[in-house]
Amino acid sequence: MSILILEAFYGGSHKQLVDLLQEELEDSVLYTLPAKKWHWRARTSALYFSQNIPTSEHYRILFASSVLNLTELAALRPDLGKLKKILYFHENQLVYPVKKCQERDFQYGYNQILSCLVADVVVFNSVFNMESFLTSIGKFMKLIPDHRPKDLESIIRPKCQVIYFPIRFPDVSRFMPKHKAAHLQKILSLKENGGNAPSTALPFQQQLRGSENLLKSFDSKSGPCDAAQQESLGCSVRQASYLKTFNSSDDSSTHHGEHKQNWCDILAEADDQQRPLHIVWPHRWLEAVYCGCYPLCPKDLVYPEIFPAEYLYSTPEQLSKRLQNFCKRPDITRKHLYKGEMAPFSWAALHGKFRSLLTAEPREDL
């Protein structure tokens, strides 16, 4: 195995990323620790991995999230320190929210800075994540009482790049209203990586497994994410039910077939006016929008980087006013066609960047 993937916090988006990489990239091996007791993972995972990763002459690349103290691992295992070391930031500890400034543990951010100094490539999942980290290094290091190191941002910045978190979108088009399904296919046919490469539509029919998993989530006891899916997809499910009922009464006439479709549209339109609006916190925005949800996000953090201005609010008063309007007219959001881009966040668009990142010529000293 030439690619060694380490994840000290194997859960959530961290798990989603490394599972995708291991599945899609041949010649890789994955070592993990469970996603619990995050602070202890950040403190001690390097020692654990140093004792549990077998020595191998085949390793060429080490890929790890920033939870791992890469500096400690490289010192404890010089054989791994020689590899091309790639550090991926899902979030950074220099600006991660804390209740009070004095409660921020200096060591976690310091560990990430040291790991960046040791890494060969530092990858962030957004421009905001990268810039907030790099521009905070100087202020963060002033917490040291004296003999402070200098010029760390200028040393680390040349190693840095942004590769958005890759999403392998499932095929949900058959559960969506026709106007949204058609629009979805259109916006996912954007040119790969925003360049001059041939347009690459996401493989709707190649990912039915994701659809099956989505269907399983339609359980009345499920959490708020299912409410978002039901809100955006439920209309089509009901339409299918209407069609099934109508089919059972008469299957013989083409004229009736046309009438059935029109009747379904009429029922759906009436239903849009009567059904209440579901307001959810989906946690995974780029997936929620893909399933037909209308994003409403603060004009802050990474959101302006991802969503067009019309989906952003600046004050709590603006948020309240927008929500009141949508609650009075829920059909506005149901008929709305998303005006942003989703293709740049798909695995179809990003796999080339990850393959290039995880490729390295053997080093002379290996």
Side-chain angles (χ1 to χ4, degrees):
M1 299 295 181
S2 65
I3 304 174
L4 176 61
I5 303 175
L6 304 181
E7 180 49 68
F9 195 78
Y10 187 57
S13 60
H14 292 237
K15 180 180 186 299
Q16 186 177 340
L17 176 61
V18 295
D19 283 351
L20 177 61
L21 294 180
Q22 187 187 32
E23 183 176 340
E24 295 287 346
L25 301 175
E26 61 281 354
D27 204 25
S28 63
V29 61
L30 173 64
Y31 290 90
T32 67
L33 281 169
K36 60 181 182 179
K37 301 186 184 301
W38 177 89
H39 298 86
W40 285 105
R41 296 289 183 258
R43 291 185 181 112
T44 66
S45 59
L47 179 57
Y48 172 84
F49 283 133
S50 72
Q51 294 182 336
N52 288 275
I53 297 174
T55 303
S56 174
E57 297 179 355
H58 300 292
Y59 297 143
R60 293 294 179 269
I61 298 169
L62 191 160
F63 180 95
S65 76
S66 60
V67 176
L68 174 69
N69 189 324
L70 192 57
T71 307
E72 291 180 349
L73 181 64
L76 292 167
R77 286 286 300 270
D79 58 318
L80 301 181
K82 295 177 182 179
L83 306 181
K84 177 183 177 181
K85 297 173 290 300
I86 302 168
L87 193 67
Y88 191 88
F89 275 75
H90 293 263
E91 63 282 313
N92 77 78
Q93 292 302 311
L94 302 193
V95 298
Y96 200 83
V98 293
K99 292 181 180 180
K100 297 180 181 179
C101 182
Q102 61 264 33
E103 291 182 358
R104 185 182 299 279
D105 193 314
F106 179 83
Q107 194 64 39
Y108 301 126
Y110 184 66
N111 287 353
Q112 290 189 330
I113 293 173
L114 290 180
S115 293
C116 288
L117 292 171
V118 170
D120 298 292
V121 183
V122 182
V123 184
F124 293 84
N125 61 356
S126 70
V127 175
F128 169 80
N129 194 11
M130 179 177 72
E131 290 300 327
S132 65
F133 178 80
L134 292 173
T135 58
S136 296
I137 291 176
K139 180 180 178 180
F140 183 80
M141 298 304 287
K142 288 182 180 179
L143 294 174
I144 300 176
D146 55 12
H147 299 287
R148 303 182 187 107
K150 299 178 180 180
D151 303 322
L152 296 183
E153 178 185 348
S154 61
I155 295 172
I156 295 172
R157 184 175 284 276
K159 302 180 180 185
C160 297
Q161 60 178 280
V162 173
I163 303 182
Y164 287 108
F165 187 92
I167 302 171
R168 189 164 54 186
F169 291 111
D171 177 9
V172 297
S173 58
R174 57 188 174 135
F175 306 114
M176 300 178 72
K178 284 188 175 181
H179 70 290
K180 289 199 174 186
H183 182 67
L184 181 66
Q185 289 182 316
K186 180 180 179 181
I187 63 177
L188 289 177
S189 298
L190 298 175
K191 291 182 178 180
E192 186 175 16
N193 296 331
N196 295 321
S199 61
T200 307
L202 288 190
F204 273 144
Q205 300 305 322
Q206 296 178 4
Q207 299 183 12
L208 295 181
R209 178 179 60 184
S211 302
E212 293 169 357
N213 292 336
L214 185 63
L215 284 175
K216 291 177 182 178
S217 71
F218 284 106
D219 187 291
S220 60
K221 297 181 180 179
S222 297
C225 285
D226 301 313
Q229 294 161 350
Q230 291 171 3
E231 168 65 16
S232 57
L233 309 182
C235 178
S236 291
V237 174
R238 280 191 291 273
Q239 289 181 26
S241 177
Y242 288 136
L243 280 176
K244 184 177 180 181
T245 303
F246 210 103
N247 277 330
S248 64
S249 63
D250 193 336
D251 294 321
S252 60
S253 171
T254 303
H255 174 74
H256 282 175
E258 296 174 355
H259 177 71
K260 283 183 288 187
Q261 183 59 51
N262 293 336
W263 179 243
C264 177
D265 291 340
I266 292 172
L267 288 173
E269 184 175 350
D271 200 27
D272 276 350
Q273 298 291 341
Q274 296 175 5
R275 286 188 297 129
L277 181 70
H278 291 182
I279 302 173
V280 300
W281 176 257
H283 298 287
R284 294 288 176 262
W285 288 91
L286 299 166
E287 288 96 328
V289 172
Y290 173 82
C291 289
C293 291
Y294 184 104
L296 192 54
C297 315
K299 193 176 183 179
D300 196 11
L301 305 174
V302 74
Y303 298 110
E305 183 180 339
I306 298 175
F307 296 108
E310 70 176 271
Y311 303 110
L312 307 176
Y313 62 87
S314 299
T315 65
E317 291 74 20
Q318 289 181 1
L319 172 62
S320 177
K321 186 175 180 180
R322 294 283 295 276
L323 289 176
Q324 287 180 39
N325 187 42
F326 289 153
C327 288
K328 292 176 182 177
R329 289 286 310 281
D331 59 302
I332 293 177
T333 60
R334 295 192 177 108
K335 294 178 179 178
H336 179 79
L337 298 178
Y338 180 62
K339 297 179 182 178
E341 296 183 355
M342 281 185 278
F345 306 100
S346 70
W347 174 249
L350 293 171
H351 77 276
K353 289 187 177 182
F354 276 97
R355 288 184 181 277
S356 177
L357 180 71
L358 295 169
T359 300
E361 294 295 328
R363 293 171 62 167
E364 295 179 359
D365 53 352
L366 287 178

